[in-house]
Amino acid sequence: MAISSFAQEIMCYIGQHLVFKDAEEVINNLTGACVNAKQIERVCHQYGQWIEEADNRIISQQVYKEYDLEQANELHYVSVDGAMYLTREQSWKESKLGRIYQPKDIVEVSPKRTELTNSTYVTHLGDHKEFISKMDYHLENLNNIVFIADGARWIWKWIEQYYPESVQIVDYYHCKEHLCEFAKLYYKDENKRHKWIDRLSQTMLDKGIDPIITTLEKLPKHQKTTAKRNSLINYYKQNKDRMQYHKYLEKGLLIGSGAIESAHKDVLQQRLKLSGQRWTKKGFQQMAQLRVVYKSKEEHRIKQLCLNAA
């Protein structure tokens, strides 16, 4: 029996929200239809594959997203990160996720809480080179980009090569986390440790990373912590141009990558990392593409594909 374009659209929408068995129950109860979980699964994977193929065709042609001049010159934040997901072929495998958003999309919902109302997402399971190609489609024609990410070398190598004029910021909380890990080893007294961390963390915000490096270099040497201290110093020196937090704050820029960490939970993990789920690599990418399309508010792409397939 042929499935109408509207029915397929419903299957994609509900199927990317709920496990297929639950999607079956919701669709049948609300519409009086008689679809089963396997049909919903096939439809979701098919449309996820079509989205993936469409994206790959554009990338292969080296065509980039177009913006009008005003939008191209507006500030855009870009954050990227990876998380591990269980696959049938290779056990745990990293999926990269990118989030592109603007300051105007950040809305204060309470005195201590903000919310991002609009973002563009990019995802890829596997090689970072393919992920980068997908990101470049959205970024190539933008003129005012601020990258916020952790210290992963491949991320900064890509940014340095293709977006050298951009502002590059190592996530402040990631930078602080490294300091905390060292402090746990160096200071056994908990009160002294916390005071030291608080003081240096505030210094990072007020003066950047250079005073922190100086402080670490002047610490009395402990045989058990020397290697860790030297490693931390080297890490900070390698990234010090990306850790001048006082300068970023003076310009009103964000310094944390919480937006991409919450995105992993909201965009991918909420549907693809449920208890007992273990995807094929292809199946994961297909479902991830569906999630990204809907979370990027590009459901018109699914609607058009459904009309074309009807």
Side-chain angles (χ1 to χ4, degrees), residues 15-252:
Q16 59 87 30
H17 269 295
L18 304 173
V19 294
F20 300 124
K21 192 63 182 174
D22 290 346
E24 172 193 313
E25 182 178 344
V26 169
I27 292 172
N28 290 343
N29 284 344
L30 292 180
T31 68
C34 189
V35 299
N36 61 59
K38 205 64 185 176
Q39 286 176 307
I40 300 169
E41 180 180 359
R42 284 197 297 268
V43 168
C44 286
H45 283 293
Q46 180 62 77
Y47 280 90
Q49 182 61 32
W50 283 340
I51 291 291
E52 177 78 1
E53 290 171 356
D55 288 351
N56 288 339
R57 280 195 299 272
I58 292 172
I59 291 167
S60 67
Q61 296 166 4
Q62 293 188 318
V63 175
Y64 302 105
K65 187 173 181 178
E66 295 183 359
Y67 304 89
D68 61 47
L69 184 59
E70 182 180 357
Q71 188 177 14
N73 288 332
E74 289 177 347
L75 174 63
H76 286 74
Y77 286 105
V78 180
S79 289
V80 299
D81 198 9
M84 305 302 289
Y85 295 85
L86 189 59
T87 68
R88 294 184 182 277
E89 300 95 334
Q90 290 183 301
S91 187
W92 294 96
K93 193 167 180 65
E94 185 178 62
S95 182
K96 280 82 173 174
L97 183 69
R99 187 173 194 173
I100 305 162
Y101 57 99
Q102 295 184 256
K104 64 183 181 183
D105 299 320
I106 305 171
V107 176
E108 186 176 18
V109 294
S110 68
K112 293 185 178 181
R113 183 168 168 261
T114 59
E115 186 175 293
L116 263 171
T117 58
N118 190 52
S119 298
T120 296
Y121 298 99
V122 176
T123 190
H124 186 74
L125 182 74
D127 190 81
H128 69 264
K129 293 180 181 178
E130 295 179 59
F131 171 74
I132 285 172
S133 296
K134 292 182 177 182
M135 290 293 293
D136 287 339
Y137 165 77
H138 296 278
L139 303 180
E140 183 68 24
N141 290 324
L142 293 177
N143 303 321
N144 188 5
I145 304 175
V146 174
F147 288 91
I148 307 176
D150 64 21
R153 185 58 197 150
W154 70 267
I155 296 175
W156 299 119
K157 186 176 181 180
W158 158 56
I159 296 169
E160 288 168 356
Q161 183 173 357
Y162 292 101
Y163 306 99
E165 301 302 317
S166 67
V167 176
Q168 303 174 24
I169 303 175
V170 169
D171 168 44
Y172 165 73
Y173 302 100
H174 184 84
C175 179
K176 180 180 176 180
E177 183 181 1
H178 281 270
L179 188 70
C180 293
E181 289 174 356
F182 168 75
K184 286 179 183 179
L185 294 177
Y186 194 86
Y187 290 103
K188 300 306 178 182
D189 183 285
E190 190 171 343
N191 289 330
K192 189 174 182 180
R193 180 200 314 155
H194 288 315
K195 288 181 180 178
W196 187 81
I197 291 172
D198 289 344
R199 179 171 60 83
L200 266 62
S201 298
Q202 190 60 48
T203 300
M204 281 187 197
L205 296 177
D206 295 338
K207 299 179 181 180
I209 203 67
D210 296 274
I212 311 305
I213 294 173
T214 300
T215 297
L216 290 170
E217 288 177 333
K218 291 181 178 180
L219 280 178
K221 292 183 180 181
H222 293 175
Q223 186 174 1
K224 292 182 179 180
T225 61
T226 298
K228 183 69 175 180
R229 187 196 67 154
N230 291 343
S231 177
L232 182 60
I233 290 171
N234 289 336
Y235 173 71
Y236 284 162
K237 284 183 175 180
Q238 289 169 7
N239 289 285
K240 72 174 187 174
D241 290 340
R242 305 185 185 102
M243 295 176 173
Q244 302 305 323
Y245 301 112
H246 58 306
K247 294 181 180 179
Y248 311 138
L249 291 171
E250 286 172 4
K251 295 177 180 178

